[in-house]
Amino acid sequence: MIDSPPVTRRKAAAIILLSLTIFLSIQSIGADTTNTTTTTSTTTTRWQPILIIGGGRGYDHGYFYEPMDVDVEDGSVYVVESYNGRVQKFNENGEYQDSYGTAGSGDAGELDDPAGVAFRRVDENDTLLYVADKNNDRVQIYRTWVNDSGTQVNWSAFGIGLSDEYIPQTRIYFENPSGVELDDEGIIYVANTGMDRISIFNQPNNSKVPAAKNRTEFNGSYSEDGPLNQPQGIAVYNGTVYVADTGNNMIRMFLKNGTQIRSFGGAGSGRAQFSSPRSLAVDSSGIIYVADTGNNRVSIYNSQGMYITTFGSVNCTSKIYSHPQDAGGQFCQPGGIDVKDNKLYVADTESHRVQVFNVTNLPEPTCILLGDDIPCGQVSMTEVIAYINKWTTGDANLSDIVLLINKWAVTG
């Protein structure tokens, strides 16, 4: 059989794309005008939250004002708020339980624009709550423990701001730290945002404030992607440190010694692109969840670096401030993110709420490599048709189909 020349295939691709455009127009004409008809909103409709935490924007307990990060441990949900300068604790049903810290710049739990939170249980009688106290250039620790005198609590802190007297051997320096995480051994990882580095404190199973001598740091400068740029989010899984390199619009993976393993991303709105990603989480299977803040969405990749799905669209209307149950699956500058027991928790920062999603039945990953927004290998018309079918159910974007058609025109 004589192969069709590339020009013929391009013409065929144009005809198919035109047919698809006509099909989309027909769908839009017949659609319910009370709902948007874009691919993103179709996905949003499919991704409805199973729970929304928070009573809306406010100052009282149970309300949020700019929730920045969320950490789920021991069946409790810890949410740190920027404007209110506190951490609130909720149970798994979203019911308020407790609050820690107040807004300010003094000692003993005064927080100024806190941006990260992490909980750790040392043992049955000793727990620690770590807060990245961003504008105070420090990390604060709220400790609760039980001894012969009963339950005891106290605040402590480590880290100071940059100054002319820079002595890294004996002092811990932070500049606007935005993320904090702990591994299974209790080692502390801090996204030292303003200093463009990750700080690691190797004091496992220790409830004391870490010492400068036990600190190691890396900034990615020796990797092929160059130095980190304003990293904000951090996650640790199976010996790998995952970093939301916010300023570079990338997700990067390192060993604890700073050796880069892999990276993906770049500025944009494609499937392997980001706009100021602020946070990420990794579940027990190694699946990566990214809060793609500037794109107002969540993107998900499997442990092998293959694209799974993206969901979410922008909704920054003030109505949500007092009606947080509205517009589920839509975001306004989503910040922190965590995943636990097949539930994904997203701090919907500028909508002043936390949305919770079921991630039990994720779509199968597609042949999209990390850092590559074009399907790998050869593309057949069967695959194009399959993606059109996926689009109708909300599992693919129109841009995915266009990419496949263009690839088919060259390799199909």
Side-chain angles (χ1 to χ4, degrees):
M1 183 177 70
I2 300 176
D3 186 25
S4 300
V7 173
T8 303
R9 284 182 290 175
R10 291 193 187 97
K11 289 181 179 179
I15 293 171
I16 293 171
L17 184 56
L18 178 60
S19 300
L20 181 60
T21 302
I22 294 172
F23 172 74
L24 292 176
S25 300
I26 294 172
Q27 291 292 97
S28 297
I29 292 172
D32 183 352
T33 56
T34 61
N35 287 317
T36 56
T37 57
T38 63
T39 303
T40 301
S41 63
T42 301
T43 304
T44 297
T45 301
R46 180 176 179 272
W47 281 88
Q48 286 296 314
I50 59 174
L51 175 68
I52 290 181
I53 301 175
R57 190 175 77 173
Y59 310 96
D60 294 335
H61 293 154
Y63 290 77
F64 295 129
Y65 206 129
E66 297 181 351
M68 295 295 294
D69 194 21
V70 57
D71 188 46
V72 184
E73 298 290 343
D74 275 8
S76 297
V77 183
Y78 297 87
V79 183
V80 64
E81 300 171 75
S82 170
Y83 191 87
N84 282 332
R86 66 186 178 188
V87 176
Q88 292 195 73
K89 177 183 177 181
F90 299 81
N91 66 18
E92 59 185 6
N93 297 318
E95 299 166 334
Y96 169 81
Q97 292 187 311
D98 208 347
S99 180
Y100 316 94
T102 58
S105 57
D107 296 328
E110 291 194 9
L111 306 167
D112 187 358
D113 194 19
V117 63
F119 175 87
R120 176 184 171 228
R121 178 172 294 281
V122 180
D123 56 42
E124 61 181 8
N125 295 318
D126 198 350
T127 63
L128 302 166
L129 186 68
Y130 295 80
V131 184
D133 191 4
K134 182 179 175 182
N135 283 353
N136 285 325
D137 298 319
R138 63 190 177 187
V139 172
Q140 292 209 58
I141 308 171
Y142 180 78
R143 183 186 178 194
T144 304
W145 75 100
V146 178
N147 58 22
D148 293 340
S149 300
T151 300
Q152 310 294 317
V153 299
N154 80 313
W155 284 93
S156 58
F158 62 99
I160 59 174
L162 290 172
S163 64
D164 294 334
E165 191 178 14
Y166 183 69
I167 312 173
Q169 294 83 5
T170 58
R171 294 179 182 174
I172 297 170
Y173 294 92
F174 293 131
E175 184 176 3
N176 300 135
S178 298
V180 60
E181 186 60 280
L182 300 125
D183 65 16
D184 293 337
E185 296 180 329
I187 294 174
I188 308 166
Y189 302 77
V190 179
N192 196 350
T193 307
M195 295 182 72
D196 300 319
R197 65 185 65 178
I198 302 300
S199 300
I200 303 174
F201 300 90
N202 297 285
Q203 289 181 263
N205 297 318
N206 194 323
S207 59
K208 297 180 181 179
V209 170
K213 66 179 180 179
N214 293 319
R215 177 193 60 218
T216 59
E217 297 181 324
F218 64 81
N219 65 2
S221 59
Y222 294 104
S223 68
E224 62 181 15
D225 295 306
L228 295 168
N229 183 4
Q230 301 287 300
Q232 293 192 45
I234 189 167
V236 183
Y237 170 73
N238 200 25
T240 299
V241 183
Y242 297 74
V243 179
D245 189 3
T246 308
N248 284 324
N249 296 294
M250 299 177 70
I251 301 302
R252 299 169 69 173
M253 287 159 265
F254 298 88
L255 298 177
K256 284 174 58 178
N257 63 8
T259 300
Q260 182 169 302
I261 302 171
R262 183 179 290 167
S263 67
F264 62 102
S269 57
R271 288 181 292 183
Q273 294 178 317
F274 306 104
S275 176
S276 300
R278 192 184 294 163
S279 182
L280 77 168
V282 184
D283 71 13
S284 57
S285 300
I287 294 176
I288 306 165
Y289 303 80
V290 182
D292 190 2
T293 306
N295 283 322
N296 293 289
R297 66 186 186 185
V298 173
S299 294
I300 307 174
Y301 300 84
N302 78 352
S303 60
Q304 301 303 311
M306 299 174 70
Y307 173 84
I308 295 178
T309 192
T310 294
F311 71 93
S313 61
V314 62
N315 189 332
C316 291
T317 58
S318 58
K319 179 182 177 182
I320 301 176
Y321 295 0
S322 56
H323 297 84
Q325 301 296 322
D326 292 351
Q330 297 180 318
F331 302 109
C332 187
Q333 299 288 298
I337 192 169
D338 197 15
V339 61
K340 189 73 65 175
D341 298 328
N342 295 316
K343 293 180 181 179
L344 182 68
Y345 298 76
V346 183
D348 192 3
T349 302
E350 295 301 328
S351 289
H352 314 287
R353 61 184 178 177
V354 173
Q355 297 194 59
V356 186
F357 300 88
N358 188 332
V359 289
T360 303
N361 298 312
L362 291 173
E364 289 297 316
T366 58
C367 195
I368 302 293
L369 297 176
L370 291 176
D372 183 7
D373 212 32
I374 299 176
C376 56
Q378 303 293 306
V379 176
S380 66
M381 183 49 60
T382 300
E383 189 172 0
V384 174
I385 294 172
Y387 260 75
I388 292 174
N389 290 332
K390 282 189 175 185
W391 171 80
T392 63
T393 60
D395 290 331
N397 296 324
L398 179 58
S399 59
D400 298 340
I401 299 169
V402 174
L403 283 170
L404 283 169
I405 290 174
N406 290 333
K407 187 73 172 179
W408 170 79
V410 178
T411 67

